């Protein structure tokens, strides 16, 4: 299998320029599915911390890059929405957050905020033994008691060290949300109204924000808290950096 990916066919969420070169690195197997961006793309093309894949491998082999609190050694490891990217030796920490148009950007956060990550609950199932398994947007699974007050479309915050749930945000009217896909991606506001659609169609949500508000489907929304509304102007993406493939 090839280790390269044509730039013109990468997902719209990838922070890469599409017409500067023909190829970029292909994401490996892992979380976030096809939307995951290879770690080396962020290290090289977005942050500019390395000049080549070889340099990225050297940095990763020295455990100098953490993703959600864990050292990563695979330069093709997919990175996606709400992941925490930490560089302890530099004292730099970033949260992957959807920018305007749904393009992933790196938002600087402090060390305390980098100690946990947000996950949207996309599925809830009962597993053998009576426990309940929550599946998050990135494919991760978390087991909770059968009477735990979590439901699909809610968001939870997981401590990167203990892997325990430390916060819970319900999906409901009045909840603070961000759109992560569609034409309103990157906009933050409060849920004004949820219009339930009968049958198999998607529910429509009306979100109020500092502008005129917007309407979208609830699959495009993620519940967040006020800690996610700061530092957005400092987000780093590929528009501000150069791109290279080797």
């Amino acid at each position: 299998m090839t280790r390269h990916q044509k730039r013109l066919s990468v997902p719209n969420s990838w922070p890469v320029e599409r017409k500067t070169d023909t190829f970029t690195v292909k994401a490996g197997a892992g979380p976030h599915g096809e939307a995951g961006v290879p770690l080396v793309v962020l290290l090289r093309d977005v942050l500019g911390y390395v000049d080549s894949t070889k340099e990225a491998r050297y940095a990763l082999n020295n455990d100098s890059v953490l993703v959600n609190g864990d050292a990563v050694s695979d330069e093709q490891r997919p990175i996606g929405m709400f992941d925490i990217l930490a560089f302890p030796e530099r004292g730099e920490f970033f949260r992957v957050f959807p920018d305007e148009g749904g393009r992933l950007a790196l938002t600087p956060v402090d060390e305390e905020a980098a100690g946990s990550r947000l996950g949207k609950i996309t599925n809830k199932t009962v597993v053998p033994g009576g426990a309940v398994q929550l599946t998050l947007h990135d494919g991760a699974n978390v087991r909770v008691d059968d009477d735990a007050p979590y439901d699909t479309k809610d968001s939870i915050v997981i401590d990167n060290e203990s892997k325990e749930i430390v916060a819970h945000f319900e999906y409901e009217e009045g909840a603070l949300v961000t759109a992560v896909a569609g034409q309103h991606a990157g906009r933050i506001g409060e849920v004004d109204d949820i219009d339930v659609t009968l049958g198999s169609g998607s529910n429509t949500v009306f979100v109020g924000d500092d502008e005129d508000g917007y309407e979208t489907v609830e699959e495009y929304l993620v519940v967040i808290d006020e800690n996610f509304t700061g530092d957005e102007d400092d987000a780093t993406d590929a528009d501000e950096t150069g791109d290279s493939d080797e």
Side-chain angles (χ1 to χ4, degrees):
M1 295 179 61
T2 178
R3 295 179 58 251
H4 289 77
Q5 160 82 50
K6 284 193 173 182
R7 286 176 178 263
L8 288 176
S9 62
V10 301
N12 292 332
S13 60
W14 283 34
V16 298
E17 297 300 329
R18 286 162 172 73
K19 296 183 179 180
T20 54
D21 294 286
T22 303
F23 294 100
T24 187
V25 177
K26 184 177 182 179
H32 302 288
E34 296 181 355
V37 183
L39 177 57
V40 65
V41 170
L42 299 181
L43 295 177
R44 184 191 62 198
D45 302 338
V46 178
L47 293 169
Y49 287 170
V50 299
D51 294 324
S52 65
T53 299
K54 182 178 180 180
E55 288 186 11
R57 289 173 184 160
Y58 177 81
L60 296 176
N61 287 335
N62 283 279
D63 295 338
S64 59
V65 182
L66 306 181
V67 177
N68 299 330
D70 298 322
V72 176
S73 59
D74 180 8
E75 76 276 6
Q76 292 181 274
R77 196 271 195 195
I79 306 297
M81 186 173 65
F82 302 124
D83 278 344
I84 298 294
L85 198 59
F87 303 89
E89 295 178 2
R90 291 173 170 265
E92 296 180 355
F93 309 89
F94 299 93
R95 177 188 293 120
V96 182
F97 200 80
D99 205 349
E100 184 176 353
R103 189 170 184 169
L104 296 178
L106 299 180
T107 301
V109 296
D110 59 29
E111 186 173 4
E112 181 179 359
S116 60
R117 68 183 182 90
L118 186 84
K120 178 182 179 179
I121 302 173
T122 59
N123 194 26
K124 179 179 178 181
T125 56
V126 178
V127 296
V132 171
Q133 179 173 280
L134 308 177
T135 301
L136 306 184
H137 70 279
D138 60 0
N141 294 315
V142 180
R143 287 197 178 189
V144 297
D145 295 333
D146 59 355
D147 59 349
Y150 308 118
D151 207 347
T152 55
K153 304 170 194 159
D154 290 356
S155 290
I156 56 176
V157 177
I158 300 175
D159 184 270
N160 287 335
E161 183 174 349
S162 68
K163 309 303 180 185
E164 298 293 327
I165 297 174
V166 295
H168 171 215
F169 309 122
E170 293 185 41
Y171 173 72
E172 59 186 357
E173 292 185 6
L176 186 67
V177 296
T178 183
V180 298
Q183 62 179 330
H184 304 295
R187 293 177 64 175
I188 295 174
E190 292 187 358
V191 174
D192 286 338
D193 183 62
I194 301 173
D195 185 8
V196 178
T197 301
L198 298 179
S200 59
S202 297
N203 293 340
T204 301
V205 184
F206 300 88
V207 180
D209 61 8
D210 293 335
E211 300 177 34
D212 297 327
Y214 60 92
E215 176 183 329
T216 187
V217 294
E218 60 186 7
E219 288 85 357
Y220 289 172
L221 296 176
V222 176
V223 184
I224 59 175
D225 76 344
E226 63 275 5
N227 292 326
F228 285 75
T229 63
D231 299 326
E232 289 186 356
D233 293 337
D234 297 326
T236 302
D237 63 23
D239 291 333
E240 301 169 350
T241 62
D243 262 328
S244 62
D245 287 312
E246 300 300 334

